Amino acid sequence: MNILVINCGSSSLKFQLIDSASEEVLAKGLCERIGIDGRLVYQSEGNEKEITKEHMPTHTEAVKLVLEALVNPKTGAISSLDEIGAVGHRIVHGGEAFTESTLITDEVIAAVERVSELAPLHNPANLIGIEACQKLMPGVPMAAVFDTAFHQTMPAEAYMYGIPYKYYSQFKVRKYGFHGTSHSYVSKHAADMLGQPYESLKTIVCHLGNGASVCAVKNGKSVDTSMGLTPLEGLVMGTRSGDIDPSVIEYIAEKENFEMEHIMDVLNKKSGVYGISGVSSDFRDIEAAAEAGDERAALAQDVFCYRVVKYIGAYAAAMNGVDAICFTAGLGENSGETRKKICDYLGYLGVELDEEANKRRGEDLVISTESSKVKVLMVPTNEELAIARETAALVQK
Ligand code: ADP
């Protein structure tokens, strides 16, 4: 069955058409600058990437353009829209309502709307994507796959904040965690790579991209993760601060005479390695600058790695041990330098990095030595494939 995977942002829409039987990507692309001056990037199997300027005032036109591209007689991947068996939508926040992926019904849409307050930038955009697809593909089954669902197995001691209980009971303020699709996919895949049962393995997954999080997976279940109520908590990221003393907010607000909205913008968009280095949020630029002697770029790298190391230590403690540490996402898959800097701290766990293997990138590979007590793996994540698998499983049920 062909599954159309949709990941809808406020002004963008990423898509992949995946044959769920062969797991081949038949076509993929992106609509950008929706509502501004629309751009469609499209590539089908065996063809060159095409980039065209298109009129797309709303997400509905964007979905329409994607569907037209998919059935284009020259470069289309399918000959008719009937060949799309189902659509899988990435939904950022499922709150406590969703512990797993689900087929989309009116009730599901209403429940996603109810948790939109917790993810005001993401959920409304995700819902617009669903609505656009329903309008243009009536009758095609659709599934919602949540970033938060995998983490709903966290025990209360991991997800509760140390604030008055009423904020949890009345307003559902708690840790939710994100990147769940990736953490689940990578931890499962790592167990397969090691030839060990997923249900009896203690794994720490480091999803290190522009957004970054660490997850403790014990016996196939997420038991803790570094992101919180929102994706701002945890690691130092491309532009997000990660953990800080909450008093910093009041202090800076007073010093700079900032409103709350402004200070949240600083923490989300002007902080992280970008804020520390002043160079870039992109690790390639930071590595190059550090290499060329830029001290703040080197400091940003050190702060980033140190925070990851602290979370690994915390999660090894939380699980009373760790069998495997996985690196994934843009930086985790590609930056041997970052992996080495992190692993250099982990001698106490018995981690021994295979320096030759660590030079490789973007492939499924065990990068620790034979004698390493804890296995270290590089596992390219594939959130689209994970969404396609979940969607196919729900539809075929
Ligand atoms: P997101 O999905 O959160 O936007 P990605 O998983 O695509 O993030 O990761 C983006 C990050 O990965 C960027 O900071 C980028 O610099 C980094 N990255 C990608 N390739 C490399 C590389 N070869 N070396 C170092 N960093 C890289």
Side-chain angles (χ1 to χ4, degrees):
M1 182 194 302
N2 295 329
I3 311 282
L4 180 60
V5 176
I6 299 273
N7 180 356
C8 213
S10 56
S11 71
S12 71
L13 184 155
K14 290 187 204 150
F15 65 92
Q16 283 196 9
L17 185 69
I18 297 175
D19 175 347
S20 67
S22 66
E23 303 205 328
E24 246 178 299
V25 177
L26 306 177
K28 62 179 176 181
L30 158 76
C31 295
E32 282 179 305
R33 302 176 62 85
I34 299 171
I36 311 169
D37 58 356
R39 218 167 73 113
L40 171 70
V41 181
Y42 174 83
Q43 185 170 29
S44 57
E45 216 186 353
N47 288 306
E48 296 282 308
K49 190 189 274 184
E50 301 163 37
I51 303 175
T52 49
K53 279 202 150 195
E54 303 281 355
H55 182 66
M56 46 179 100
T58 73
H59 288 74
T60 307
E61 288 83 8
V63 174
K64 203 160 171 225
L65 285 160
V66 170
L67 298 179
E68 279 167 16
L70 290 173
V71 296
N72 180 298
K74 267 201 198 134
T75 54
I78 47 179
S79 47
S80 136
L81 291 182
D82 298 340
E83 291 172 46
I84 298 176
V87 182
H89 291 271
R90 177 192 180 201
I91 311 289
V92 169
H93 216 310
E96 285 188 326
F98 297 103
T99 57
E100 54 190 19
S101 307
T102 179
L103 284 174
I104 295 175
T105 60
D106 291 347
E107 291 77 48
V108 168
I109 291 175
V112 173
E113 264 163 12
R114 279 197 294 277
V115 291
S116 278
E117 236 181 10
L118 295 172
L121 294 179
H122 296 105
N123 276 30
N126 300 156
L127 284 165
I128 291 172
I130 294 175
E131 198 185 316
C133 288
Q134 284 182 330
K135 211 188 276 178
L136 297 164
M137 286 180 274
V140 176
M142 302 200 188
V145 180
F146 301 92
D147 274 23
T148 50
F150 181 59
H151 302 300
Q152 279 295 307
T153 47
M154 280 190 288
E157 65 263 30
Y159 70 68
M160 286 300 292
Y161 290 123
I163 57 175
Y165 192 79
K166 70 167 189 185
Y167 295 122
Y168 171 64
S169 56
Q170 285 181 19
F171 306 128
K172 297 287 172 222
V173 174
R174 52 160 283 182
K175 181 188 275 286
Y176 289 95
F178 298 86
H179 291 141
T181 312
S182 175
H183 288 304
S184 159
Y185 173 88
V186 169
S187 54
K188 255 185 224 141
H189 199 58
D192 289 344
M193 284 167 67
L194 295 171
Q196 299 203 20
Y198 188 44
E199 295 70 26
S200 58
L201 209 59
K202 294 171 184 171
T203 309
I204 296 174
V205 180
C206 306
H207 178 113
L208 310 179
N210 192 26
S213 68
V214 184
C215 180
V217 185
K218 189 178 180 183
N219 307 338
K221 294 196 163 85
S222 169
V223 292
D224 206 346
T225 191
S226 57
M227 283 177 168
L229 174 76
T230 74
L232 184 54
E233 190 182 339
L235 300 181
V236 174
M237 307 180 212
T239 62
R240 293 181 212 143
S241 65
D243 302 334
I244 56 163
D245 178 346
S247 303
V248 169
I249 295 174
E250 185 196 25
Y251 192 77
I252 293 179
E254 251 169 45
K255 290 279 174 207
E256 297 263 44
N257 199 16
F258 282 170
E259 298 291 328
M260 187 56 84
E261 194 186 344
H262 195 155
I263 194 123
M264 292 316 290
D265 194 59
V266 169
L267 295 178
N268 274 301
K269 299 196 183 132
K270 307 222 161 58
S271 298
V273 291
Y274 167 72
I276 295 173
S277 70
V279 171
S280 168
S281 62
D282 192 307
F283 263 85
R284 283 164 289 205
D285 302 337
I286 290 177
E287 283 181 11
E291 181 91 359
D294 185 312
E295 284 180 14
R296 271 171 56 192
L299 175 64
Q301 274 184 306
D302 291 345
V303 172
F304 177 87
C305 292
Y306 184 71
R307 183 72 58 88
V308 176
V309 166
K310 287 211 294 186
Y311 269 99
I312 291 174
Y315 291 166
M319 295 194 288
N320 189 23
V322 52
D323 300 309
I325 297 171
C326 306
F327 288 99
T328 193
L331 191 58
E333 291 165 24
N334 292 298
S335 173
E337 189 180 334
T338 302
R339 292 189 300 255
K340 176 161 166 40
K341 270 175 175 285
I342 292 167
C343 289
D344 279 348
Y345 280 96
L346 304 178
Y348 75 100
L349 286 173
V351 165
E352 282 175 17
L353 196 65
D354 176 339
E355 308 241 347
E356 273 312 302
N358 188 46
K359 286 183 184 149
R360 312 263 288 263
R361 54 197 203 110
E363 57 184 304
D364 289 340
L365 197 66
V366 176
I367 55 171
S368 51
T369 62
E370 280 286 327
S371 58
S372 183
K373 283 206 191 105
V374 175
K375 297 295 163 205
V376 182
L377 297 91
M378 159 164 63
V379 185
T381 192
N382 194 336
E383 287 166 284
E384 290 78 13
L385 177 58
I387 292 173
R389 282 181 184 166
E390 294 269 323
T391 304
L394 282 167
V395 171
Q396 280 155 1
K397 227 194 232 171

